[in-house]
Amino acid sequence: MIRGAVFFDVDGTLTPTSSGQHLAEFLGYAKVIQEVQAGYGAGTLSSQEAAVLEARGWATRTPTEVRGFMESLPLVDGIAETVLWCRQHQLAPVLATLAWDIVGTQLCDRYGFDRACGPRLELVDGRYSGKVAEQFDELSKRDFAVSVAVELGVDPKRCVAVGDGRSDLPLFAAVGLAIAFNATPAARAAAHVSIDGTDLRAVLPLLGAWLNAMPISGK
């Protein structure tokens, strides 16, 4: 029986810095990405505009190369243990993120998340073209989470979101428990509760208390 879902953000939540910034170091355009992500965080760039600018740096690279770069992605501690806890308590662990789809896919393979969302890069003859094949923004992220809840047969209010920034705000408003983890002031203000730390297991007491207070029937 699935009692609900926990939607985890990636950039700034599972990673101390963004996956895009990390990959940009290898792809050779770190300064550009730093400026792009600062613009998105400040609200001067939309997620679509940021994605177009980020995608250019991937041109001519292959998925195999990028997966290799991902091996050194810095991550918070306790991810595997938190995913296991969720499964043991009938909560589906899901990645709800604006990180590129290859990032979410690799984290799902590594840690056992159910699935992930995210923008998709265009591939031409096995190499990235430098263009975006599918856009994804903060509203798409919320809609993805709601659709997952519907598929699982649970109300979104019986779900949790763990995130840190601007892209999490619509999702925070849709779920029953919003946890701001190492978050920006805006995310903290929108969340039900805030917590800081270097280990994702810091959210488990919050999840446990919320789960214990939630009727099993959902009524």
Side-chain angles (χ1 to χ4, degrees), residues 17-213:
T17 57
S18 80
S19 57
Q21 185 66 42
H22 173 79
L23 291 170
E25 298 285 346
F26 291 95
L27 298 172
Y29 68 123
K31 185 176 180 181
V32 172
I33 295 307
Q34 187 175 11
E35 294 172 352
V36 168
Q37 294 187 348
Y40 175 75
T44 58
L45 286 175
S46 69
S47 60
Q48 291 92 341
E49 291 168 331
V52 168
L53 294 171
E54 283 197 32
R56 294 173 183 171
W58 292 63
T60 76
R61 298 289 189 166
T62 68
T64 299
E65 284 181 292
V66 175
R67 282 192 290 269
F69 300 154
M70 277 282 294
E71 292 299 324
S72 60
L73 178 67
L75 297 163
V76 297
D77 295 326
I79 297 175
E81 293 85 354
T82 301
V83 168
L84 177 60
W85 187 96
C86 288
R87 293 200 179 282
Q88 290 173 335
H89 292 80
Q90 293 79 52
L91 296 172
V94 178
L95 293 177
T97 176
L98 297 192
W100 295 108
D101 65 330
I102 191 171
V103 175
T105 297
Q106 189 147 334
L107 290 174
C108 286
D109 291 344
R110 181 173 176 181
Y111 291 107
F113 292 97
D114 270 11
R115 67 194 85 180
C117 61
R120 185 167 55 87
L121 291 153
E122 182 182 70
L123 276 169
V124 177
D125 297 328
R127 293 184 178 274
Y128 293 114
S129 68
K131 297 181 180 180
V132 181
E134 182 179 353
Q135 284 280 6
F136 207 86
D137 63 14
E138 52 268 28
L139 297 180
S140 306
K141 178 175 172 174
R142 177 204 60 197
D143 294 345
F144 163 80
V146 170
S147 70
V148 170
V150 170
E151 182 181 331
L152 294 173
V154 298
D155 191 302
K157 293 300 181 182
R158 293 174 65 84
C159 298
V160 180
V162 182
D164 73 290
R166 173 184 168 188
S167 72
D168 299 297
L169 302 186
L171 179 53
F172 276 6
V175 297
L177 176 64
I179 301 175
F181 185 63
N182 298 329
T184 64
R188 291 175 188 272
H192 296 106
V193 63
S194 300
I195 193 167
D196 298 304
T198 59
D199 193 311
L200 191 61
R201 284 170 288 190
V203 306
L204 295 185
L206 303 175
L207 293 177
W210 171 79
L211 194 60
N212 288 337

